[in-house]
Amino acid sequence: DYHVVNIPDREGIIGRYGTIDSAYFKGIDHISGNHLLFYYDKGECTIEDLNSTNGTSLNGVPCKPTVKYKIQKGDQIQISTLCFEVIEM
């Protein structure tokens, strides 16, 4: 079972109160209100953990809060206990 999350062209936030697919994330208690920022600029997409309670990992490596990480097709992003794969950029 999987869920597709569409990332906007410029930026967006995943979280219970975020701007990306908030209806899906709203009922998930272990996701912070504003958990993860996606930012897309000049052909590159980055993620940044917004000092979330349960953390974010990129390809199995924990992300430091407020540090930007470049992502690409095939990367695995874990938000608390939810795992997503970047399938298209």
Side-chain angles (χ1 to χ4, degrees), residues 58-69:
L58 177 60
N59 298 320
V61 179
C63 296
K64 294 179 182 177
T66 70
V67 174
K68 290 183 174 136
Y69 296 86

Side-chain angles (χ1 to χ4, degrees), residues 22-33:
S22 60
Y24 175 74
F25 293 105
K26 190 172 195 168
I28 304 174
D29 292 338
H30 54 274
I31 300 293
S32 294

Side-chain angles (χ1 to χ4, degrees), residues 2-21:
Y2 67 93
H3 180 79
V4 174
V5 177
N6 292 308
I7 306 303
D9 291 339
R10 184 81 171 131
E11 69 178 51
I13 295 174
I14 284 183
R16 292 190 325 273
Y17 312 117
T19 59
I20 299 172
D21 209 355

Side-chain angles (χ1 to χ4, degrees), residues 11-85:
E11 69 178 51
I13 295 174
I14 284 183
R16 292 190 325 273
Y17 312 117
T19 59
I20 299 172
D21 209 355
S22 60
Y24 175 74
F25 293 105
K26 190 172 195 168
I28 304 174
D29 292 338
H30 54 274
I31 300 293
S32 294
N34 291 308
H35 196 106
L36 182 69
L37 171 69
F38 279 86
Y39 186 76
Y40 190 78
D41 188 40
K42 298 177 185 166
E44 291 188 353
C45 188
T46 60
I47 59 170
E48 178 182 344
D49 182 274
L50 298 174
N51 207 21
S52 65
T53 301
N54 292 310
T56 301
S57 295
L58 177 60
N59 298 320
V61 179
C63 296
K64 294 179 182 177
T66 70
V67 174
K68 290 183 174 136
Y69 296 86
K70 183 180 172 185
I71 62 170
Q72 57 190 2
K73 185 176 178 180
D75 281 347
Q76 300 283 320
I77 301 169
Q78 186 170 340
I79 303 167
S80 184
T81 60
L82 301 177
C83 191
F84 299 90
E85 180 180 354

